[in-house]
Amino acid sequence: MKVDFIIVGHGLASVAVIEHLIKQDASFIVFSDENPNSSSKVAAGLYNPVTGRKMKQTWMAEQLFPYLEEFYGGLEKSLKAKFLHKKAIYRPFLSLEDQNDWMAKQNTNNQFIKDTFTNSQFSEFISDEFGGILLNHSGFLDVSTMLDRHKEKLIDNKQLTKEKLEYEKLIVNESQINYKEIESKKIIFCDGPLSRNPFFEWLPTAPVKGEILHIKTEKPLPDDLIFNRGVFLVNNPHHDYYRVGATYEWKNLDYQPTEKARKQLIDKLDDLLQLKYQILDQVAGIRPASKDRRPLIGNHPERKNVFIFNGLGTKGVSLAPYFARQFVNSIFNFEKLNDEVNINRYYPLYSN
C-alpha cells in the first residue's frame, strides 16, 4: 500500500490536519488505538475569545476565531452531523472593582464583545450582582460526536486502522517511510500527550490533567448561554446534564478522577451557581501541552519527512483549524509557520 502520509493518532489535531490534506488531494492512512479517556473524548470543547482572571483577549483571536467557525461549519456539512454549537458566553464581574477595571479598559470596537452589563442579568441562575460581559464568536464543539463521525468516514474509506503504531517498526529513509506493508512519503505525529514518541522526545512537553464534573440542576439553565467564572457551565447536547470544569494538574498524570479536583470544582461552582444541583459523574483527561503553552508543530530537525502536530493544550478547539491549514500549506506551498508554534524554536535541545 502506497500513500503520501502516515498519520499517527485520531483526535482534534489529527482531524484538522486530515481535512486540510484532503484539500490537497493527498492520500493517507491513519493509525489510532482507542483511548476513551483521551482529552478530545472528555473535553467540553469550549472556545472562548476572552479568557483568564483579567479577561484578556486570547492569543491570536482575530485570526483564529473567524476561521474556526468556517472550518467546523464546513465539516458539519461534510459529515452530515451537528457538533458546532455557537453560544454567547456570559462572564460575571467578581466585584465592583472588577467591573470598573473592565469599563476603563474596554474597547468598544472589540468584535468579541457583544454587550456589557453593570447590574445583574441572570440572578435566578447565577451570582452576578455586578453584571458582566457577553461574548461573541464563542461556544463549544461537541468533540466526541465530531470524532465519532469523522472516524466512521475514515473507516468507510479504508483510511483508518484501529491499532497502535509501533514506533520501533518504522523504517525512515530519506526518500520514503516503511511500516509493515505500507510505503509512505511522509509521516505526521498527532499522537497525544503521553506517547513517548522517540522522534520528538526531546521536545519540552508539559501534559496537563484536567477534570470535569457532570451535574444536573433543579431547573434548566438558559439554552443560548454558557456561564463562565472560575468554572464554566456548558450543557451536553445529547444528555440532560451540564459539564463543569476544568482543573489543571501537571504532576499526577493518570486518568483517575480525584477528590482534590472534585472539591476545587464544587467550591468554584458554589460561588457561581444559585441553583441546587446533583453530581452525576466526574471524568478526567490529559491535554497535550508544551512548556511555553504554544503548539508543537513542524519538521524534525534531521528527518525531513517526519512531522509533528501536537501540543495544542487547553485551547485545541480554536487552535487546530488555523494552524492545521498553515501547517499543511507549509508542506505543500512552503508557507512559513508562525515562529511561536514552529518546533525549530527548540532545535537547540535536539541531539542525535
Side-chain angles (χ1 to χ4, degrees):
M1 179 184 187
K2 292 186 178 183
V3 292
D4 296 320
F5 293 88
I6 292 172
I7 300 171
V8 184
H10 185 260
L12 193 61
S14 178
V15 169
V17 169
I18 288 167
E19 290 304 306
H20 287 91
L21 288 176
I22 290 172
K23 292 179 180 179
Q24 298 288 344
D25 295 321
S27 59
F28 59 87
I29 183 72
V30 179
F31 284 84
S32 175
D33 61 325
E34 297 292 327
N35 180 4
N37 297 110
S38 72
S39 60
S40 292
K41 281 287 187 182
V42 303
L46 198 68
Y47 63 98
N48 181 0
V50 177
T51 59
R53 292 180 182 176
K54 296 184 179 180
M55 294 192 286
K56 290 185 177 181
Q57 186 168 300
T58 191
W59 177 65
M60 287 189 64
E62 292 177 353
Q63 292 78 35
L64 300 176
F65 281 74
Y67 187 58
L68 173 163
E69 294 184 341
E70 175 188 333
F71 173 78
Y72 292 120
L75 190 56
E76 282 185 322
K77 293 178 182 178
S78 171
L79 298 178
K80 297 180 174 59
K82 177 65 179 174
F83 41 79
L84 180 65
H85 300 269
K86 301 177 184 179
K87 294 177 182 286
I89 293 178
Y90 183 64
R91 293 284 306 267
F93 295 124
L94 292 170
S95 63
L96 189 59
E97 181 183 17
D98 192 24
Q99 180 197 101
N100 289 336
D101 287 345
W102 174 260
M103 299 301 288
K105 69 182 180 181
Q106 182 178 355
N107 179 358
T108 55
N109 295 319
N110 192 324
Q111 63 177 306
F112 301 114
I113 307 302
K114 186 174 184 178
D115 212 340
T116 301
F117 304 99
T118 56
N119 49 50
S120 177
Q121 300 295 305
F122 303 100
S123 59
E124 65 176 300
F125 303 106
I126 62 167
S127 300
D128 73 329
E129 62 178 303
F130 304 103
I133 61 172
L134 200 61
L135 303 178
N136 262 332
H137 300 291
S138 56
F140 73 92
L141 185 73
D142 182 357
V143 182
S144 183
T145 294
M146 183 194 72
L147 291 179
D148 288 344
R149 295 303 295 269
H150 195 261
K151 182 173 286 187
E152 289 171 11
K153 181 184 81 167
L154 295 181
I155 291 172
D156 288 345
N157 294 337
K158 295 180 170 52
Q159 293 171 308
L160 184 139
T161 300
K162 290 183 179 180
E163 66 179 69
K164 184 179 179 66
L165 183 133
E166 300 172 71
Y167 299 110
E168 65 275 10
K169 293 185 179 179
L170 275 172
I171 301 172
V172 180
N173 298 313
E174 286 188 12
S175 59
Q176 67 184 43
I177 294 169
N178 295 93
Y179 183 74
K180 297 182 179 180
E181 78 285 358
I182 297 169
E183 181 181 310
S184 177
K185 295 176 183 177
K186 298 177 175 67
I187 186 167
I188 301 172
F189 290 100
C190 308
D191 45 356
L194 302 175
S195 61
R196 302 187 184 278
N197 185 320
F199 295 96
F200 295 103
E201 61 187 355
W202 48 275
L203 287 172
T205 58
V208 186
K209 179 178 179 178
E211 299 188 44
I212 291 176
L213 297 179
H214 296 169
I215 70 167
K216 186 170 185 177
T217 55
E218 62 179 330
K219 67 177 181 179
L221 301 174
D223 189 55
D224 58 341
L225 286 178
I226 295 169
F227 294 122
N228 187 0
R229 191 188 75 188
V231 289
F232 56 72
L233 266 166
V234 181
N235 70 300
N236 185 300
H238 305 293
H239 304 282
D240 185 22
Y241 66 79
Y242 297 91
R243 290 164 292 180
V244 178
T247 60
Y248 302 86
E249 169 62 52
W250 287 269
K251 292 182 180 179
N252 300 314
L253 299 178
D254 58 37
Y255 295 105
Q256 297 303 312
T258 64
E259 190 60 36
K260 176 185 174 183
R262 186 185 184 93
K263 185 178 185 307
Q264 287 177 356
L265 293 171
I266 289 173
D267 287 347
K268 292 179 179 180
L269 180 61
D270 289 345
D271 285 341
L272 175 64
L273 188 64
Q274 293 282 23
L275 302 176
K276 293 180 181 178
Y277 63 89
Q278 174 189 359
I279 297 175
L280 304 177
D281 198 6
Q282 182 178 348
V283 296
I286 300 176
R287 316 171 184 100
S290 66
K291 287 284 178 66
D292 63 3
R293 298 187 181 184
R294 293 289 182 259
L296 299 168
I297 302 173
N299 204 174
H300 188 277
E302 290 188 335
R303 301 181 182 275
K304 299 307 177 185
N305 50 3
V306 176
F307 299 84
I308 188 171
F309 191 89
N310 209 328
L312 301 182
T314 60
K315 294 181 171 62
V317 169
S318 56
L319 293 170
Y322 179 89
F323 284 112
R325 178 177 63 177
Q326 189 179 91
F327 170 61
V328 171
N329 282 340
S330 75
I331 296 173
F332 285 90
N333 304 317
F334 304 103
E335 180 178 332
K336 185 178 183 296
L337 275 176
N338 183 299
D339 289 334
E340 291 190 67
V341 307
N342 196 329
I343 61 167
N344 64 13
R345 70 194 190 273
Y346 289 125
Y347 278 1
L349 300 179
Y350 175 74
S351 62
N352 57 3

